Amino acid sequence: NPGPVQELTAGVAKTPPTIDGLLSPGEWADAAVIAFDGSDGVRPGVTGPDSGTIGGPNKDGFQNYEDSHAVVYVMNDASNLYVAIDATDDILMFDKADVWRNDSAEIRVDGNFSRKSVQEGTALAYDVCVRGDGGAVANAPSGADLETKAAVKADGTGWIVELRQGTAGFAAKIGFDVAIDDRDTPDQDSRDDQYRWNGATDVAYQDESMWGILTLAAAASGLVPERW
């Protein structure tokens, strides 16, 4: 049992961040914060042997916190959603052609909150995968008002991914998830680990109903709050 579905309210972005793969001082101070790792099968940070990974200390996909963990920052203004991922990773690998087989982040957005079991793959529902060194991006929806940037930290202790997504057509409440792909073993095709804020298995990338729930900051977005 991975636990309750994760929910979050975005922070109000008073000043738009620069999407450059750097977390400049104060740039994300207005953001809501998610902190998670892949040390167990409980949200936030669901990991398990069903993820199809073969690494980790016990070869079960789990990772020690000190080896791999992430802090995610989320905020929005009237026009855009902003996401930053600060990943700590003890071993950096970026040499595989498939982006998700490297150290990378998958950011999942269901902007129309359709919760479809088969991901729509449009600007309103996608799973974009960004390699941690910024060298490759996969699954970015064509025609989307989407911008990403990534870079390895200057001290080599991990990597940073930043994303800006235009929110035209978004609902006040959207589907949202983040998955961290981690590979530590040279010449290995499979990841050692994937851990997800909400998604219970690795097939969550194509199933919007398995993503968490993000409420946009109404004061910034101008969206009409959902009424129950």
Short mmCIF file of all heavy atoms in Angstrom, two decimals, residues 141-168:
data_model
loop_
_atom_site.label_atom_id
_atom_site.label_comp_id
_atom_site.label_asym_id
_atom_site.label_seq_id
_atom_site.Cartn_x
_atom_site.Cartn_y
_atom_site.Cartn_z
N PRO A 141 5.76 17.38 -25.77
CA PRO A 141 4.67 17.44 -26.74
C PRO A 141 4.91 18.54 -27.77
O PRO A 141 5.33 19.65 -27.44
CB PRO A 141 3.45 17.76 -25.87
CG PRO A 141 4.01 18.43 -24.66
CD PRO A 141 5.34 17.80 -24.43
N SER A 142 4.66 18.23 -29.03
CA SER A 142 4.89 19.20 -30.09
C SER A 142 3.90 20.35 -29.98
O SER A 142 2.74 20.15 -29.63
CB SER A 142 4.76 18.53 -31.46
OG SER A 142 3.47 18.01 -31.64
N GLY A 143 4.38 21.55 -30.26
CA GLY A 143 3.52 22.72 -30.24
C GLY A 143 3.19 23.25 -28.86
O GLY A 143 2.44 24.22 -28.73
N ALA A 144 3.75 22.67 -27.83
CA ALA A 144 3.44 23.10 -26.47
C ALA A 144 4.27 24.33 -26.10
O ALA A 144 5.41 24.49 -26.56
CB ALA A 144 3.72 21.98 -25.48
N ASP A 145 3.70 25.18 -25.28
CA ASP A 145 4.43 26.33 -24.75
C ASP A 145 5.23 25.83 -23.55
O ASP A 145 4.88 26.04 -22.39
CB ASP A 145 3.42 27.41 -24.34
CG ASP A 145 4.11 28.66 -23.78
OD1 ASP A 145 5.34 28.79 -23.96
OD2 ASP A 145 3.41 29.49 -23.17
N LEU A 146 6.32 25.14 -23.87
CA LEU A 146 7.08 24.39 -22.87
C LEU A 146 8.56 24.69 -23.03
O LEU A 146 9.09 24.69 -24.14
CB LEU A 146 6.83 22.89 -23.05
CG LEU A 146 7.56 21.92 -22.12
CD1 LEU A 146 7.05 22.06 -20.70
CD2 LEU A 146 7.38 20.48 -22.61
N GLU A 147 9.22 24.93 -21.90
CA GLU A 147 10.65 25.24 -21.89
C GLU A 147 11.30 24.46 -20.76
O GLU A 147 10.80 24.44 -19.64
CB GLU A 147 10.83 26.74 -21.68
CG GLU A 147 12.26 27.22 -21.60
CD GLU A 147 12.35 28.71 -21.30
OE1 GLU A 147 11.32 29.34 -21.02
OE2 GLU A 147 13.48 29.24 -21.33
N THR A 148 12.42 23.79 -21.06
CA THR A 148 13.16 23.06 -20.03
C THR A 148 14.65 23.37 -20.14
O THR A 148 15.16 23.73 -21.20
CB THR A 148 12.98 21.53 -20.16
OG1 THR A 148 13.53 21.08 -21.40
CG2 THR A 148 11.51 21.14 -20.07
N LYS A 149 15.33 23.21 -19.02
CA LYS A 149 16.78 23.37 -18.99
C LYS A 149 17.31 22.56 -17.83
O LYS A 149 16.68 22.49 -16.76
CB LYS A 149 17.15 24.85 -18.81
CG LYS A 149 18.63 25.13 -18.90
CD LYS A 149 19.16 24.98 -20.32
CE LYS A 149 20.62 25.41 -20.42
NZ LYS A 149 21.14 25.25 -21.79
N ALA A 150 18.46 21.91 -18.01
CA ALA A 150 19.06 21.11 -16.95
C ALA A 150 20.58 21.27 -16.98
O ALA A 150 21.17 21.60 -18.01
CB ALA A 150 18.69 19.64 -17.12
N ALA A 151 21.20 21.02 -15.83
CA ALA A 151 22.65 21.10 -15.73
C ALA A 151 23.12 20.35 -14.50
O ALA A 151 22.41 20.26 -13.50
CB ALA A 151 23.10 22.56 -15.65
N VAL A 152 24.34 19.83 -14.59
CA VAL A 152 24.99 19.21 -13.43
C VAL A 152 25.40 20.31 -12.46
O VAL A 152 25.85 21.39 -12.88
CB VAL A 152 26.21 18.39 -13.87
CG1 VAL A 152 27.01 17.88 -12.67
CG2 VAL A 152 25.78 17.22 -14.75
N LYS A 153 25.25 20.07 -11.16
CA LYS A 153 25.66 21.05 -10.16
C LYS A 153 27.16 21.29 -10.24
O LYS A 153 27.94 20.38 -10.57
CB LYS A 153 25.29 20.56 -8.76
CG LYS A 153 23.81 20.40 -8.53
CD LYS A 153 23.56 19.88 -7.11
CE LYS A 153 22.13 19.50 -6.90
NZ LYS A 153 21.88 18.95 -5.54
N ALA A 154 27.57 22.48 -9.92
CA ALA A 154 28.98 22.86 -10.01
C ALA A 154 29.87 21.98 -9.16
O ALA A 154 31.03 21.70 -9.52
CB ALA A 154 29.15 24.32 -9.62
N ASP A 155 29.34 21.49 -8.02
CA ASP A 155 30.16 20.65 -7.15
C ASP A 155 30.07 19.17 -7.48
O ASP A 155 30.68 18.33 -6.80
CB ASP A 155 29.80 20.88 -5.68
CG ASP A 155 28.35 20.53 -5.36
OD1 ASP A 155 27.64 20.02 -6.24
OD2 ASP A 155 27.93 20.77 -4.20
N GLY A 156 29.29 18.81 -8.51
CA GLY A 156 29.21 17.43 -8.97
C GLY A 156 28.38 16.51 -8.10
O GLY A 156 28.40 15.29 -8.30
N THR A 157 27.61 17.04 -7.16
CA THR A 157 26.84 16.20 -6.24
C THR A 157 25.45 15.85 -6.76
O THR A 157 24.68 15.21 -6.05
CB THR A 157 26.69 16.90 -4.88
OG1 THR A 157 26.00 18.15 -5.06
CG2 THR A 157 28.04 17.15 -4.24
N GLY A 158 25.13 16.25 -7.96
CA GLY A 158 23.82 15.96 -8.51
C GLY A 158 23.53 16.84 -9.69
O GLY A 158 24.45 17.30 -10.39
N TRP A 159 22.26 17.12 -9.93
CA TRP A 159 21.86 17.88 -11.10
C TRP A 159 20.56 18.64 -10.83
O TRP A 159 19.86 18.36 -9.85
CB TRP A 159 21.70 16.96 -12.31
CG TRP A 159 21.01 15.65 -12.01
CD1 TRP A 159 21.62 14.47 -11.67
CD2 TRP A 159 19.61 15.39 -12.01
NE1 TRP A 159 20.67 13.49 -11.46
CE2 TRP A 159 19.42 14.03 -11.67
CE3 TRP A 159 18.48 16.16 -12.28
CZ2 TRP A 159 18.16 13.43 -11.57
CZ3 TRP A 159 17.22 15.57 -12.18
CH2 TRP A 159 17.08 14.22 -11.84
N ILE A 160 20.27 19.59 -11.71
CA ILE A 160 19.09 20.44 -11.56
C ILE A 160 18.33 20.45 -12.87
O ILE A 160 18.93 20.57 -13.95
CB ILE A 160 19.49 21.87 -11.15
CG1 ILE A 160 20.07 21.87 -9.73
CG2 ILE A 160 18.31 22.84 -11.25
CD1 ILE A 160 20.80 23.15 -9.37
N VAL A 161 17.01 20.32 -12.78
CA VAL A 161 16.12 20.45 -13.94
C VAL A 161 15.12 21.56 -13.63
O VAL A 161 14.56 21.62 -12.54
CB VAL A 161 15.38 19.14 -14.23
CG1 VAL A 161 14.25 19.36 -15.24
CG2 VAL A 161 16.33 18.08 -14.76
N GLU A 162 14.90 22.44 -14.61
CA GLU A 162 13.88 23.48 -14.49
C GLU A 162 12.92 23.40 -15.67
O GLU A 162 13.33 23.06 -16.79
CB GLU A 162 14.50 24.86 -14.42
CG GLU A 162 15.28 25.13 -13.14
CD GLU A 162 15.83 26.54 -13.09
OE1 GLU A 162 16.60 26.90 -13.99
OE2 GLU A 162 15.48 27.28 -12.16
N LEU A 163 11.65 23.73 -15.42
CA LEU A 163 10.61 23.68 -16.45
C LEU A 163 9.69 24.88 -16.31
O LEU A 163 9.34 25.28 -15.20
CB LEU A 163 9.82 22.38 -16.34
CG LEU A 163 8.57 22.21 -17.22
CD1 LEU A 163 8.41 20.76 -17.68
CD2 LEU A 163 7.30 22.66 -16.49
N ARG A 164 9.30 25.42 -17.46
CA ARG A 164 8.23 26.41 -17.53
C ARG A 164 7.19 25.92 -18.52
O ARG A 164 7.51 25.52 -19.63
CB ARG A 164 8.75 27.77 -18.00
CG ARG A 164 7.66 28.85 -18.10
CD ARG A 164 8.08 30.00 -19.00
NE ARG A 164 8.33 29.58 -20.37
CZ ARG A 164 7.37 29.34 -21.29
NH1 ARG A 164 6.09 29.47 -20.98
NH2 ARG A 164 7.72 28.96 -22.51
N GLN A 165 5.94 25.93 -18.12
CA GLN A 165 4.84 25.48 -18.98
C GLN A 165 3.75 26.54 -18.99
O GLN A 165 3.26 26.94 -17.92
CB GLN A 165 4.27 24.16 -18.46
CG GLN A 165 2.91 23.77 -19.02
CD GLN A 165 2.96 23.37 -20.50
OE1 GLN A 165 3.76 22.51 -20.85
NE2 GLN A 165 2.13 23.96 -21.32
N GLY A 166 3.36 27.02 -20.17
CA GLY A 166 2.23 27.92 -20.27
C GLY A 166 0.95 27.25 -19.81
O GLY A 166 0.72 26.08 -20.13
N THR A 167 0.12 27.95 -19.06
CA THR A 167 -1.06 27.33 -18.45
C THR A 167 -2.36 27.65 -19.19
O THR A 167 -3.44 27.45 -18.64
CB THR A 167 -1.19 27.75 -16.98
OG1 THR A 167 -1.12 29.18 -16.89
CG2 THR A 167 -0.07 27.14 -16.15
N ALA A 168 -2.29 28.14 -20.41
CA ALA A 168 -3.50 28.39 -21.19
C ALA A 168 -4.28 27.08 -21.34
O ALA A 168 -3.73 26.06 -21.75
CB ALA A 168 -3.15 28.95 -22.56
#
